[in-house]
Amino acid sequence: MNKINIGIVGLGRMGQTHARNIVVNIPEANLYAACSVAEVEFEYAKREFGVKELYQNFEEMIESPNIDAVIIASPSGFHTKQIRLAMEKGLHVFSEKPIGLDIEDIKETIKIIDSHPNQIFQLGFMRRYDESYQYAKKLVDEGILGKLTLIRCYGIDPSTELESFVKFATSSNSGGLFSDMSVHDIDLVRWFSGQEIKRVWALGKNAAYPELDDLGELETGAAMMQLKDDTMAILVAGRNAVHGYHVETELIGTKGMLRIAQQPEKNLVTIFNEQGIVRPTTQNFPERFREAFIREMKEFVSCIIDGRQPNVTANDGLQSTKVALACQKSIKTKQLIDVE
């Protein structure tokens, strides 16, 4: 068959990562169109990726007869509307997380997705495509750890990006720390355990940038969770890791435990110098999950070609957002929150 022509909306860091992967790593697809409200991103798309069609309006882009699929990498508040519009135009859709910020809105979006069973929908939970996480999942499924009793997740962005986030938060809604960042860890908890989360208690503190208090944003947050089978989960999310980008997961079971990325190592190099023994660490998510991003986009294109649905579903996005919003509510009310 002909190559899959893809249009992308949003050319920030996440959108640029997906765009580059299509152009460089996925020969079955073309990055044909791009949509952005920023002129500098237009020039970038033309210069770096040779995009043929450029739009300032998403509705206009999806009217193009030349595209087969769209990648949604716009701000979180636009995701559900853009998913619905694209699905109703007959396009395949890959959307970055979170699927949305409002539960009823997400449910309505899922109805639209389900009404188009011949179109592919995939959500950007890329950690499921990371080789280390896939290996750990295989071990869990094989019973190597016995019955899971506790899952611990760290997801902390580098402090070098904190100042830019503060500027972003003054004019845009990230959806909150748990929807914006912990949603990946929440998905991992559900994926590893095969269980839904029934109860959460969350805390937070703004230390480096107290002005985030007035913006309703969190610099560092933590949540304790109880799953349907009483398995426990502990999440730590933050925006201030001075050593780099820190994503770590620990699984404890009745027969043993395992840790994924206990140290966020950049590579296998060890430096011996006046600072002692130093291991370089990853500095951002495109670096840490480079291969996972490529593998998830390959899966999206492969699903279109093969006519099959991916394992990551819209319902995964709904359930993870339910938990993230429950954490936000717990922060606000300082109470234990049951997840409906």
Coordinates of all heavy atoms in Angstrom, one line a residue, residues 63-101:
E63 N -9.4 18.8 7.0 CA -10.2 18.8 5.7 C -9.3 18.4 4.5 O -9.9 18.1 3.4 CB -10.8 20.2 5.5 CG -11.9 20.6 6.4 CD -13.2 19.9 6.2 OE1 -13.3 19.2 5.1 OE2 -14.1 20.0 7.1
S64 N -8.0 18.4 4.7 CA -7.1 18.1 3.6 C -7.4 16.6 3.1 O -7.4 15.7 3.9 CB -5.7 18.2 4.0 OG -4.8 17.7 3.0
P65 N -7.6 16.5 1.8 CA -7.8 15.1 1.3 C -6.5 14.3 1.2 O -6.5 13.1 0.8 CB -8.3 15.4 -0.1 CG -7.7 16.7 -0.5 CD -7.6 17.5 0.8
N66 N -5.4 14.9 1.6 CA -4.1 14.3 1.4 C -3.6 13.5 2.6 O -2.5 12.9 2.6 CB -3.1 15.3 1.0 CG -3.4 16.0 -0.3 OD1 -3.8 15.3 -1.3 ND2 -3.3 17.3 -0.4
I67 N -4.3 13.7 3.8 CA -3.8 13.0 5.0 C -4.7 11.9 5.4 O -5.9 11.9 5.2 CB -3.6 14.0 6.2 CG1 -4.9 14.7 6.6 CG2 -2.5 15.1 5.8 CD1 -4.8 15.5 7.8
D68 N -4.1 10.8 6.0 CA -4.8 9.6 6.4 C -4.9 9.6 8.0 O -5.7 8.9 8.5 CB -4.0 8.4 6.0 CG -3.7 8.4 4.5 OD1 -4.6 8.4 3.7 OD2 -2.5 8.4 4.2
A69 N -4.0 10.3 8.7 CA -4.0 10.2 10.1 C -3.5 11.5 10.7 O -2.8 12.3 10.0 CB -3.1 9.0 10.5
V70 N -3.7 11.7 12.0 CA -3.2 12.9 12.7 C -2.5 12.5 14.0 O -2.9 11.5 14.6 CB -4.3 13.9 13.0 CG1 -4.9 14.5 11.7 CG2 -5.4 13.3 13.9
I71 N -1.5 13.3 14.3 CA -0.9 13.2 15.7 C -1.3 14.4 16.4 O -1.0 15.5 15.9 CB 0.6 13.0 15.5 CG1 1.0 11.7 14.9 CG2 1.3 13.2 16.9 CD1 2.5 11.6 14.5
I72 N -1.8 14.3 17.6 CA -2.3 15.4 18.4 C -1.2 15.6 19.5 O -1.1 14.8 20.5 CB -3.7 15.1 19.0 CG1 -4.7 15.1 17.8 CG2 -4.1 16.3 20.0 CD1 -6.1 14.7 18.3
A73 N -0.5 16.6 19.4 CA 0.6 17.0 20.4 C 0.4 18.4 20.9 O 1.3 19.1 21.2 CB 2.0 16.8 19.9
S74 N -0.9 18.9 20.9 CA -1.3 20.2 21.3 C -1.4 20.2 22.8 O -1.3 19.2 23.5 CB -2.6 20.6 20.6 OG -3.6 19.5 20.9
P75 N -1.6 21.4 23.4 CA -1.9 21.4 24.9 C -3.0 20.5 25.3 O -4.0 20.3 24.5 CB -2.2 22.9 25.1 CG -1.5 23.6 24.0 CD -1.5 22.7 22.8
S76 N -3.0 20.0 26.5 CA -3.9 19.0 27.0 C -5.4 19.4 26.8 O -6.2 18.5 26.5 CB -3.6 18.7 28.4 OG -2.3 18.2 28.6
G77 N -5.7 20.6 27.1 CA -7.1 21.0 27.0 C -7.7 20.9 25.7 O -9.0 21.0 25.6
F78 N -7.0 20.8 24.6 CA -7.5 20.6 23.2 C -7.7 19.2 22.8 O -8.3 19.0 21.7 CB -6.6 21.4 22.2 CG -6.5 22.8 22.4 CD1 -5.4 23.4 23.0 CD2 -7.5 23.7 22.0 CE1 -5.2 24.8 23.2 CE2 -7.4 25.1 22.2 CZ -6.3 25.6 22.8
H79 N -7.2 18.2 23.5 CA -7.1 16.9 23.0 C -8.5 16.3 22.7 O -8.6 15.7 21.6 CB -6.4 16.0 24.0 CG -4.9 16.3 24.2 ND1 -4.1 15.5 25.0 CD2 -4.1 17.2 23.6 CE1 -2.9 16.0 24.9 NE2 -2.9 17.0 24.1
T80 N -9.4 16.3 23.6 CA -10.7 15.6 23.3 C -11.4 16.2 22.1 O -11.9 15.5 21.3 CB -11.6 15.7 24.6 OG1 -11.7 17.1 25.0 CG2 -11.1 14.8 25.7
K81 N -11.5 17.5 22.0 CA -12.1 18.1 20.8 C -11.5 17.7 19.5 O -12.1 17.4 18.6 CB -12.2 19.7 21.0 CG -12.9 20.4 19.8 CD -12.8 21.9 20.0 CE -13.5 22.6 18.8 NZ -13.5 24.0 18.9
Q82 N -10.1 17.8 19.5 CA -9.4 17.5 18.3 C -9.5 16.0 18.0 O -9.6 15.6 16.8 CB -8.0 17.9 18.4 CG -7.8 19.4 18.4 CD -6.4 19.9 18.7 OE1 -5.6 19.1 19.2 NE2 -6.1 21.2 18.4
I83 N -9.6 15.1 19.0 CA -9.8 13.7 18.7 C -11.1 13.5 18.1 O -11.3 12.8 17.0 CB -9.7 12.9 20.0 CG1 -8.3 12.9 20.6 CG2 -10.2 11.4 19.8 CD1 -8.2 12.3 22.0
R84 N -12.2 14.1 18.6 CA -13.5 13.9 18.1 C -13.6 14.4 16.6 O -14.2 13.7 15.7 CB -14.6 14.6 18.9 CG -14.7 14.0 20.3 CD -16.0 14.6 21.0 NE -15.9 16.0 21.2 CZ -15.5 16.5 22.4 NH1 -15.1 15.8 23.4 NH2 -15.5 17.9 22.5
L85 N -13.1 15.6 16.4 CA -13.1 16.2 15.0 C -12.4 15.3 14.0 O -12.9 15.0 12.9 CB -12.5 17.6 15.0 CG -13.3 18.7 15.7 CD1 -12.5 19.9 15.8 CD2 -14.6 19.0 15.0
A86 N -11.2 14.8 14.4 CA -10.5 13.9 13.5 C -11.1 12.6 13.2 O -11.2 12.1 12.1 CB -9.1 13.7 14.0
M87 N -11.7 12.0 14.3 CA -12.3 10.7 14.1 C -13.6 10.8 13.2 O -13.8 10.0 12.3 CB -12.8 10.1 15.4 CG -11.7 9.8 16.4 SD -10.6 8.4 15.8 CE -11.7 7.0 15.9
E88 N -14.3 11.9 13.4 CA -15.5 12.2 12.5 C -15.2 12.5 11.1 O -16.0 12.4 10.2 CB -16.4 13.3 13.2 CG -17.0 12.8 14.5 CD -17.7 13.9 15.2 OE1 -17.4 15.1 15.0 OE2 -18.6 13.6 16.0
K89 N -13.9 12.9 10.8 CA -13.5 13.1 9.5 C -12.9 11.8 8.8 O -12.4 11.8 7.7 CB -12.4 14.2 9.4 CG -13.0 15.6 9.6 CD -13.9 16.0 8.5 CE -14.5 17.4 8.7 NZ -15.4 17.8 7.6
G90 N -12.9 10.7 9.6 CA -12.5 9.5 9.0 C -11.0 9.2 9.1 O -10.4 8.3 8.5
L91 N -10.3 10.0 10.0 CA -8.9 9.9 10.1 C -8.5 9.0 11.3 O -9.2 8.9 12.3 CB -8.3 11.3 10.4 CG -8.5 12.3 9.2 CD1 -8.0 13.7 9.7 CD2 -7.7 11.9 8.0
H92 N -7.3 8.3 11.2 CA -6.7 7.6 12.3 C -6.1 8.6 13.2 O -5.6 9.7 12.8 CB -5.7 6.6 11.8 CG -6.2 5.7 10.8 ND1 -7.1 4.7 11.1 CD2 -6.0 5.6 9.4 CE1 -7.3 4.0 9.9 NE2 -6.7 4.5 9.0
V93 N -6.1 8.3 14.6 CA -5.7 9.4 15.5 C -4.7 8.8 16.5 O -4.9 7.8 17.2 CB -6.9 9.9 16.3 CG1 -6.4 10.9 17.3 CG2 -7.9 10.6 15.3
F94 N -3.6 9.5 16.7 CA -2.6 9.2 17.8 C -2.7 10.5 18.6 O -2.4 11.6 18.1 CB -1.2 9.0 17.3 CG -0.2 8.8 18.4 CD1 0.2 7.6 18.9 CD2 0.4 9.9 19.0 CE1 1.1 7.4 19.9 CE2 1.3 9.8 20.1 CZ 1.6 8.5 20.5
S95 N -3.0 10.4 19.9 CA -3.1 11.5 20.8 C -2.1 11.4 21.9 O -2.0 10.3 22.5 CB -4.5 11.7 21.4 OG -4.5 12.8 22.3
E96 N -1.4 12.5 22.2 CA -0.6 12.5 23.4 C -1.4 12.4 24.7 O -2.6 12.8 24.6 CB 0.3 13.7 23.4 CG 1.7 13.5 22.9 CD 2.4 12.3 23.6 OE1 2.2 12.2 24.9 OE2 3.1 11.5 23.0
K97 N -0.8 12.0 25.8 CA -1.6 12.0 27.0 C -1.6 13.4 27.6 O -0.8 14.3 27.1 CB -0.9 11.1 28.0 CG 0.6 11.4 28.3 CD 0.7 12.6 29.3 CE 2.1 13.2 29.4 NZ 2.1 14.5 30.0
P98 N -2.5 13.8 28.5 CA -3.7 12.9 28.9 C -4.7 13.0 27.8 O -4.7 13.9 26.9 CB -4.2 13.6 30.1 CG -3.8 15.0 30.0 CD -2.5 15.0 29.2
I99 N -5.6 12.0 27.7 CA -6.6 12.1 26.7 C -7.5 13.3 26.9 O -8.1 13.8 25.9 CB -7.5 10.7 26.7 CG1 -8.4 10.7 25.5 CG2 -8.2 10.6 28.0 CD1 -9.1 9.3 25.4
G100 N -7.7 13.8 28.1 CA -8.5 14.9 28.4 C -8.4 15.3 29.8 O -7.7 14.7 30.6
L101 N -9.1 16.4 30.2 CA -9.0 16.9 31.6 C -10.3 16.9 32.3 O -10.4 17.2 33.5 CB -8.4 18.4 31.6 CG -7.0 18.5 30.9 CD1 -6.7 20.0 30.9 CD2 -6.0 17.8 31.7

